[in-house]
Amino acid sequence: MNLYTNLTEDILKKRYLTGSLLLVLQGYDTLRTFRLRIYILRANENLTENIKWNGPNYCFNSEDRITMRIQPPTTKQIQLIFHRGAKKQVQPKEKLIEEHSKLLIWKENDRAIATFKNMDEIENAETNLTEIVKKWINATK
């Protein structure tokens, strides 16, 4: 799979990197970041992308749902934070989604984090991550 071909075909047609996002990503591991962006944006065509906490952020109906936390290059890790927005909400009694891949570390029943340390982890997680994004968006509509 050619990452740049997929980037062009899947993202650049209707969702492109803004100048601001390119500036934020300078100096970071952009290949891993791009790969995660592709997986997230492919999972739901209604997601929009902006910048939050100096990294890519994904919204559904203008509500923040997934934020990418790009660690400094020395730590070599990227986290995806699954949440229901900035405002604290009443906690659901159970986790928002059922997920068996063990990718998510749950912080609360409505907030979870997936951590990736290298490209192999990202590529191996494609199917599970896509399914998590779909379930998350559906559960937080």
Side-chain angles (χ1 to χ4, degrees), residues 71-83:
Q71 303 286 343
T74 54
T75 65
K76 304 209 185 282
Q77 91 179 0
I78 299 173
Q79 293 180 315
L80 295 178
I81 301 154
F82 293 82
H83 54 89

Side-chain angles (χ1 to χ4, degrees), residues 116-134:
F116 302 96
K117 296 178 183 164
N118 57 54
M119 185 65 90
D120 286 342
E121 287 183 4
I122 292 169
E123 290 174 343
N124 291 334
E126 178 180 7
T127 302
N128 291 321
L129 182 58
T130 301
E131 190 63 28
I132 289 168
V133 171
K134 289 177 182 178

Side-chain angles (χ1 to χ4, degrees), residues 5 19 29 36 40 50 56 62 97 101 110 116 120 131 136:
T5 300
D29 186 341
L36 286 168
I40 293 166
N50 59 31
S62 299
I97 64 170
S101 71
D110 69 347
F116 302 96
D120 286 342
E131 190 63 28
W136 193 265

Side-chain angles (χ1 to χ4, degrees), residues 62-122:
S62 299
E63 296 288 332
D64 296 335
R65 292 296 176 248
I66 304 166
T67 303
M68 190 180 301
R69 182 173 181 221
I70 305 169
Q71 303 286 343
T74 54
T75 65
K76 304 209 185 282
Q77 91 179 0
I78 299 173
Q79 293 180 315
L80 295 178
I81 301 154
F82 293 82
H83 54 89
R84 294 194 293 166
K87 294 181 182 178
K88 182 88 171 157
Q89 298 184 30
V90 174
Q91 281 295 305
K93 292 183 181 187
E94 297 187 17
K95 294 174 183 170
L96 282 181
I97 64 170
E98 189 173 317
E99 186 271 323
H100 301 288
S101 71
K102 307 295 184 210
L103 279 178
L104 297 180
I105 304 293
W106 290 87
K107 298 300 183 178
E108 294 189 55
N109 284 341
D110 69 347
R111 189 166 58 96
I113 298 173
T115 301
F116 302 96
K117 296 178 183 164
N118 57 54
M119 185 65 90
D120 286 342
E121 287 183 4
I122 292 169

Side-chain angles (χ1 to χ4, degrees), residues 25-66:
L25 297 178
Q26 282 181 348
Y28 291 99
D29 186 341
T30 53
L31 287 179
R32 291 187 305 154
T33 304
F34 284 171
R35 183 65 55 97
L36 286 168
R37 290 180 67 245
I38 289 168
Y39 295 166
I40 293 166
L41 291 170
R42 274 188 186 163
N44 187 304
E45 67 181 28
N46 296 310
L47 288 175
T48 57
E49 183 178 50
N50 59 31
I51 298 171
K52 180 177 181 175
W53 303 332
N54 292 320
N57 181 64
Y58 303 90
C59 301
F60 185 83
N61 289 334
S62 299
E63 296 288 332
D64 296 335
R65 292 296 176 248
I66 304 166

